Amino acid sequence: RSTHDGPLAGAHGRYLSDVELRQSLKAELKGYTIGSDVFRGGQGVVFRANQVGTRRDVAIKMLRESPLVGSNGVARFEREVQILSQLRHPNIVSVLETGQLSGNYYFVMDFIEGWSLDDFVVENRPDVKTLLELLARICDAVNVAHLRGVIHRDLKPGNVRVDRAGSPHVMDFGLAKVSEHDDFHTAMTMTGQFVGSLPWASPEQVEATPEGIDIRTDVYSIGVMLYHALTGKFPYPVGESFRQTIDHICHTEPERPGAIREELGDEVDQIVLKCLKKERELRYQTAGSIAKDIRRYLNGEAIEAKRDSTWYVVRKAVRKHRVTATIIGLAAVIIVYGIGSLIYFLDVESKLRVTAENALTVARNEALAAAEARDDADQQRGIAENEKQLAVDARDEAIRQTRIAAAVNQFFNQDLLAAVAPDALGRDVTVREALDAASNTIDKRFEDEPLVRGEIKFVMGNTYMRLGVVDKAEEHLADALVLFEQARGPDDDYTLMALNDVARVYLARGKFDEAIESFRKCYQRRLDVFGPENHDTLNAMGNLAWTYAQIGKYAEAEPLLMDAYETRIRVYGEEEKETLSLLNNIALFYHAIGNFEKAAELCEKELAISQRIMPDDPSLFTSMGNLASMYGALKQYDRAEALQLEALNGRRKVFGESHPDTILAMNNLATLYSKMDRIPEAEKLSVEALDIALAEHGEDLPIVNSLRSKIGWFQNHNKRFAEAEPYHADAIAGARRMYPTGHRTIAIYLHRHGDCLMGLGKLEEAEAALLEAHSSFVNDRGASSNDALNVVDSLVGLYKKMERPDAVEKWTEVYTTAIANRDADESKRDTN
């Protein structure tokens, strides 16, 4: 989602050094931990960073103001932002955010840890099959851009990154052409100026004929990349003068790749050379066609580049179906021998009749073959027309998305800020106040633009979610979902993202049935549209599984978690970041079902891999905290404390004392100290964390309520009930604002408050709190859950104080029955 402050073109500011750029980022760009620079050039510098909220590795590209950056440079930068924001594909780098800092424009994109394509080839020395599979995936990504009306025009190894799992990512769309009426493209080429990178350029590019640039231009550049990756050489000399190099590109025919690298063979030669045809109409007509031919070759099928050779097609078919062909051949020999014997004994009339019948059969077969060929030609024409229409539709969609993005940006950069009145609200206007003030204007402001309205509500809903204002988050995200479904359809990526986030809100609000249904629907739609190995499909599967686990439906959760993890390992590798995150969730699942040894084993494995492949990643602190929780459950308190302290100190160093993640780490350490019966230390740490949270974030930070309730519980433990009571009351009031009646979090706080009220002698109030807590726990996870049984124990103690033996007997029986039912259920599961 783009958030930059208006148009980028025309920016002017003081030249900043790399050091000053990094300092500017650290000081002004919130929510990111800035690392070392990755690449620098005349126009700017790219920094590696980590997005704190998502623990995602990112690259921040900054456009440096200098004499080298003219209006075209700024326009190119803006253009890259707009195009990448429209393209969503696993092998195309995604833009996450844009903006301006100290007069210098930036955008945040996925960080791809690995190599440029040429470095990957040099360092890893992949075999031919691996190289061809890699180039086919690059073709798939470029084809997606083509279908959306985008022509890259600068495809080269330096603009393709290969990650550690061997997956390619196409980037740098700053020179791309979007449509026939592309103003930027016209401005860059109308004077005959060459645009692109010369060694990888096509004949029509170097001749600077704008009308000749189309998707086949990218096909040619892919051919050069193929040739270079397979042979280590260019198809023709490119190290001479500019004019001589252009002459080679336009007129010199490439040497066969197989003449340089014998193992390639004739079929690979034909694929590469078809890409490199000087005449556009003789090349592959789409990048997708290259990918298909590469995969045909890898599967042992006949390739399109050699379809004009009938003997080749037959030979390939025979080779692929060798056993069948052998059987048919033997049968043919037997038949021929039999026919020969018969002919020997038959008279001339019989010979003529058999010959006539054979001729008739041949004629019929030839007629059928001709009809099939006509049908195939008609089908191919239909496919070509359909692809042409898809390209037109994609171009129109790209233009529409650009307009929508501009409207959304204008709202957030103008309307949202204009809705805030510091003179009325005071100088320290909060994000919540700004959002609330702007919320009421959206429906009327964009009444006739449902997609713009949906985009804005989607962003605002997620912002409210991060602030912990879940009722407002649900309102906006539910509206966005309806708008996207109506305008884009139920299976569109925007619709499914909104559906996933609506499910997250349901879960946060305790609407478990709605959360399960929404996550299930999201997973099923992604599975139907994108298939079982798609990145987003696997994320949706993991979300559904984790939701089942959180509400105690472990039998439903476990197979989904394991299936998602096994698929991720097979498709993306064990060391991919999302795979490691899923492994951590599986560990938490085992922790939830009480298998602490298995949970600790998996956490140790995940942390060891993560420390090796991303040693400076802040997500390591979360992994440390989770493993510490496992050690705490195993009563290995020394190991747990060491890890919790390391996680806390690391977060303090990276994020600062007041960051929500640091406050959470303080809370986790306090929880561990309470298990170790170090209550004074736990209480002191919790009070410190609460003071920081209230001073820096206010009441809206969700952990504020948790800290208050925990402090109250510590004071209950020390029988300081009068001090504890206001903490409990405030925690419950805050939770009731955030969650619906019956939510488990409210029930936990009510139980603690009930024990406090009992200590104060307010027995009737204690009874009301405990009964409400018990009812919520029973509805949540059943009467046999530990939470429900603990409340029953408190109720028995309360009724003894109230001298109500009938109630004591009733609740003692409730406790006994619940324990018996739980034992019976466990016995049944063990038997099964």
Side-chain angles (χ1 to χ4, degrees):
R1 294 285 184 268
S2 178
T3 58
H4 69 74
D5 301 324
L8 295 178
H12 294 284
R14 182 177 68 84
Y15 180 90
L16 297 180
S17 67
D18 290 354
V19 173
E20 289 174 312
L21 284 173
R22 185 186 288 107
Q23 290 173 343
S24 173
L25 280 174
K26 288 183 176 180
E28 300 181 47
L29 187 59
K30 304 303 181 185
Y32 295 91
T33 303
I34 310 302
S36 59
D37 55 310
V38 176
F39 172 80
R40 64 176 61 82
Q43 294 187 2
V45 62
V46 177
F47 294 96
R48 181 175 180 176
N50 186 269
Q51 192 175 38
V52 174
T54 62
R55 301 187 299 171
R56 183 179 194 171
D57 281 332
V58 298
I60 302 176
K61 184 172 184 177
M62 295 196 75
L63 178 69
R64 173 189 285 133
E65 278 296 311
S66 77
L68 296 174
V69 183
S71 59
N72 280 342
V74 177
R76 174 177 174 175
F77 191 86
E78 179 179 21
R79 170 185 204 72
E80 186 173 7
V81 172
Q82 294 173 343
I83 291 174
L84 286 177
S85 297
Q86 299 162 16
L87 300 178
R88 291 184 60 82
H89 188 273
N91 299 116
I92 297 177
V93 174
S94 299
V95 166
L96 310 176
E97 179 182 340
T98 70
Q100 182 180 3
L101 299 172
S102 300
N104 293 271
Y105 292 106
Y106 75 90
F107 69 81
V108 182
M109 56 185 168
D110 289 331
F111 179 80
I112 310 301
E113 185 170 13
W115 310 265
S116 63
L117 177 60
D118 45 4
D119 287 343
F120 173 79
V121 173
V122 171
E123 293 191 24
N124 293 275
R125 299 185 179 277
D127 56 27
V128 172
K129 180 176 181 292
T130 301
L131 271 176
L132 290 173
E133 288 173 341
L134 184 69
L135 267 296
R137 294 177 71 180
I138 293 170
C139 291
D140 290 336
V142 173
N143 195 53
V144 166
H146 289 169
L147 290 174
R148 284 162 175 75
V150 176
I151 305 165
H152 193 288
R153 297 201 304 171
D154 195 22
L155 287 172
K156 57 184 179 182
N159 286 338
V160 176
R161 297 284 295 175
V162 183
D163 63 25
R164 297 293 182 187
S167 182
H169 303 266
V170 181
M171 55 177 46
D172 199 346
F173 283 77
L175 293 180
K177 174 183 175 183
V178 176
S179 70
E180 295 177 3
H181 308 292
D182 189 333
D183 293 337
F184 176 82
H185 163 70
T186 302
M188 291 292 285
T189 58
M190 65 186 300
T191 61
Q193 177 185 3
F194 165 67
V195 175
S197 298
L198 188 60
W200 316 94
S202 67
E204 59 267 25
Q205 271 181 292
V206 299
E207 289 175 343
T209 54
E211 66 279 0
I213 305 296
D214 59 22
I215 61 177
R216 293 170 294 185
T217 301
D218 284 348
V219 166
Y220 190 94
S221 297
I222 290 171
V224 182
M225 290 166 63
L226 260 171
Y227 196 104
H228 192 266
L230 291 167
T231 68
K233 298 182 178 181
F234 284 96
Y236 27 68
V238 296
E240 302 174 1
S241 69
F242 185 82
R243 186 65 259 170
Q244 287 173 313
T245 300
I246 287 179
D247 188 61
H248 285 307
I249 292 172
C250 293
H251 304 294
T252 301
E253 292 298 332
E255 183 180 11
R256 287 189 308 104
I260 303 171
R261 186 175 180 179
E262 292 183 2
E263 64 184 289
L264 295 180
D266 181 58
E267 290 167 298
V268 175
D269 283 352
Q270 294 304 318
I271 292 173
V272 177
L273 295 176
K274 187 176 178 68
C275 295
L276 293 172
K277 293 293 184 183
K278 307 299 182 184
E279 302 85 359
R280 291 177 300 160
E281 60 274 10
L282 297 181
R283 300 174 199 158
Y284 289 103
Q285 298 301 290
T286 67
S289 299
I290 308 174
K292 289 177 183 176
D293 238 11
I294 289 175
R295 292 187 175 110
R296 288 189 187 102
Y297 166 74
L298 294 173
N299 292 331
E301 301 170 4
I303 61 172
E304 286 297 326
K306 294 193 65 175
R307 279 283 177 182
D308 54 348
S309 170
T310 304
W311 172 240
Y312 162 77
V313 175
V314 172
R315 180 163 50 84
K316 291 298 290 189
V318 169
R319 183 175 297 171
K320 184 175 182 183
H321 306 286
R322 187 168 294 157
V323 174
T324 304
T326 302
I327 294 170
I328 292 173
L330 288 172
V333 170
I334 294 169
I335 291 170
V336 169
Y337 179 80
I339 290 173
S341 300
L342 285 172
I343 290 174
Y344 182 80
F345 292 106
L346 291 176
D347 57 18
V348 173
E349 183 181 353
S350 298
K351 292 178 184 178
L352 293 173
R353 179 169 49 80
V354 171
T355 302
E357 288 174 352
N358 287 341
L360 180 60
T361 300
V362 170
R364 285 173 178 167
N365 289 340
E366 288 179 349
L368 286 172
E372 289 176 356
R374 285 195 302 273
D375 291 343
D376 187 56
D378 291 341
Q379 185 179 11
Q380 291 299 320
R381 280 195 297 272
I383 291 172
E385 291 174 1
N386 186 49
E387 288 183 347
K388 182 178 179 181
Q389 185 59 47
L390 285 173
V392 172
D393 292 343
R395 181 199 64 194
D396 294 342
E397 175 66 13
I399 294 171
R400 182 173 66 160
Q401 287 301 321
T402 300
R403 290 171 181 162
I404 290 171
V408 172
N409 288 334
Q410 183 182 27
F411 174 81
F412 283 107
N413 295 321
Q414 297 179 19
D415 296 49
L416 179 65
L417 297 178
V420 179
D423 53 338
L425 299 175
R427 293 185 62 185
D428 296 328
V429 179
T430 66
V431 174
R432 170 70 187 276
E433 288 169 337
L435 291 173
D436 288 346
S439 290
N440 298 328
T441 69
I442 299 172
D443 290 324
K444 186 175 181 181
R445 171 82 166 75
F446 299 103
E447 184 176 0
D448 299 324
E449 298 176 89
L451 282 176
V452 176
R453 203 157 79 246
E455 291 262 4
I456 292 171
K457 284 180 174 287
F458 183 87
V459 174
M460 294 190 73
N462 275 286
T463 305
Y464 274 122
M465 186 69 174
R466 286 191 288 272
L467 290 173
V469 188
V470 289
D471 55 338
K472 284 283 190 180
E474 180 180 348
E475 174 189 329
H476 284 290
L477 288 170
D479 285 350
L481 175 59
V482 171
L483 290 165
F484 288 155
E485 280 184 330
Q486 292 173 347
R488 296 177 176 273
D491 297 329
D492 183 82
D493 195 46
Y494 282 84
T495 304
L496 295 177
M497 285 192 296
L499 180 59
N500 178 78
D501 290 346
V502 166
R504 288 174 53 234
V505 177
Y506 286 150
L507 187 61
R509 301 201 72 190
K511 298 181 177 181
F512 301 119
D513 291 341
E514 292 93 333
I516 288 292
E517 178 59 23
S518 296
F519 276 130
R520 186 199 59 76
K521 189 183 296 183
C522 183
Y523 166 56
Q524 190 60 54
R525 286 182 183 174
R526 288 205 178 275
L527 182 64
D528 293 342
V529 176
F530 303 109
E533 296 182 354
N534 175 265
H535 187 275
D536 291 325
T537 301
L538 292 171
N539 282 345
M541 181 191 285
N543 288 341
L544 176 60
W546 186 238
T547 306
Y548 277 134
Q550 284 186 289
I551 63 175
K553 293 188 175 183
Y554 302 123
E556 291 88 345
E558 186 171 16
L560 287 172
L561 280 170
M562 299 309 171
D563 189 14
Y565 182 62
E566 289 169 4
T567 304
R568 275 205 170 278
I569 288 180
R570 177 167 49 81
V571 178
Y572 299 102
E574 186 178 48
E575 297 185 355
E576 194 251 356
K577 195 167 184 178
E578 293 288 349
T579 305
L580 292 171
S581 178
L582 187 56
L583 178 60
N584 207 287
N585 280 351
I586 293 173
L588 293 173
F589 165 80
Y590 280 116
H591 182 270
I593 64 175
N595 190 342
F596 304 131
E597 291 84 1
K598 183 67 174 179
E601 175 191 334
L602 295 180
C603 265
E604 287 171 341
K605 177 181 178 180
E606 184 271 327
L607 181 58
I609 296 174
S610 297
Q611 285 177 322
R612 175 167 52 81
I613 67 173
M614 43 185 184
D616 300 321
D617 195 309
S619 65
L620 291 175
F621 304 139
T622 299
S623 299
M624 290 175 188
N626 288 341
L627 180 55
S629 297
M630 311 306 171
Y631 288 152
L634 291 168
K635 302 189 186 316
Q636 298 177 13
Y637 294 129
D638 289 344
R639 301 177 74 183
E641 182 181 11
L643 272 177
Q644 289 287 19
L645 284 170
E646 186 176 355
L648 173 57
N649 293 332
R651 280 175 165 157
R652 279 173 169 159
K653 182 179 178 181
V654 173
F655 302 142
E657 189 76 35
S658 62
H659 191 278
D661 283 358
T662 306
I663 297 170
L664 177 62
M666 296 171 72
N667 177 68
N668 292 341
L669 181 59
T671 301
L672 176 63
Y673 283 155
S674 68
K675 288 183 178 180
M676 298 169 70
D677 204 27
R678 291 161 60 176
I679 302 300
E681 292 174 81
E683 182 178 353
K684 179 182 178 182
L685 194 58
S686 296
V687 170
E688 181 185 355
L690 178 61
D691 289 342
I692 294 171
L694 288 173
E696 296 295 332
H697 305 284
E699 296 283 345
D700 289 332
L701 197 66
I703 201 171
V704 164
N705 299 320
S706 176
L707 287 166
R708 280 175 169 154
S709 181
K710 185 170 290 184
I711 292 168
W713 183 83
F714 294 145
Q715 292 171 342
N716 284 0
H717 180 82
N718 291 321
K719 302 189 184 305
R720 290 155 39 208
F721 299 115
E723 294 177 48
E725 204 277 333
Y727 282 102
H728 291 303
D730 288 345
I732 291 170
R736 289 195 191 280
R737 287 194 302 271
M738 186 170 294
Y739 304 112
T741 300
H743 193 279
R744 183 171 179 271
T745 300
I746 299 175
I748 292 172
Y749 297 169
L750 282 168
H751 184 190
R752 294 170 179 172
H753 193 200
D755 286 344
C756 174
L757 292 168
M758 200 188 326
L760 289 171
K762 300 179 179 180
L763 304 185
E764 287 76 12
E765 294 178 51
E767 181 183 23
L770 292 174
L771 289 174
E772 183 181 347
H774 182 261
S775 176
S776 298
F777 285 138
V778 170
N779 290 333
D780 177 35
R781 301 190 182 181
S784 301
S785 66
N786 287 332
D787 288 327
L789 291 172
N790 288 336
V791 179
V792 172
D793 190 53
S794 293
L795 282 166
V796 169
L798 171 68
Y799 289 126
K800 285 179 180 178
K801 280 195 172 189
M802 298 176 76
E803 298 182 353
R804 291 175 51 183
D806 55 333
V808 171
E809 182 180 355
K810 170 190 170 183
W811 286 99
T812 300
E813 185 178 348
V814 168
Y815 189 93
T816 303
T817 302
I819 290 291
N821 290 339
R822 185 168 70 180
D823 291 343
D825 289 341
E826 290 177 354
S827 176
K828 187 184 297 183
R829 281 197 296 271
D830 291 341
T831 301
N832 291 335

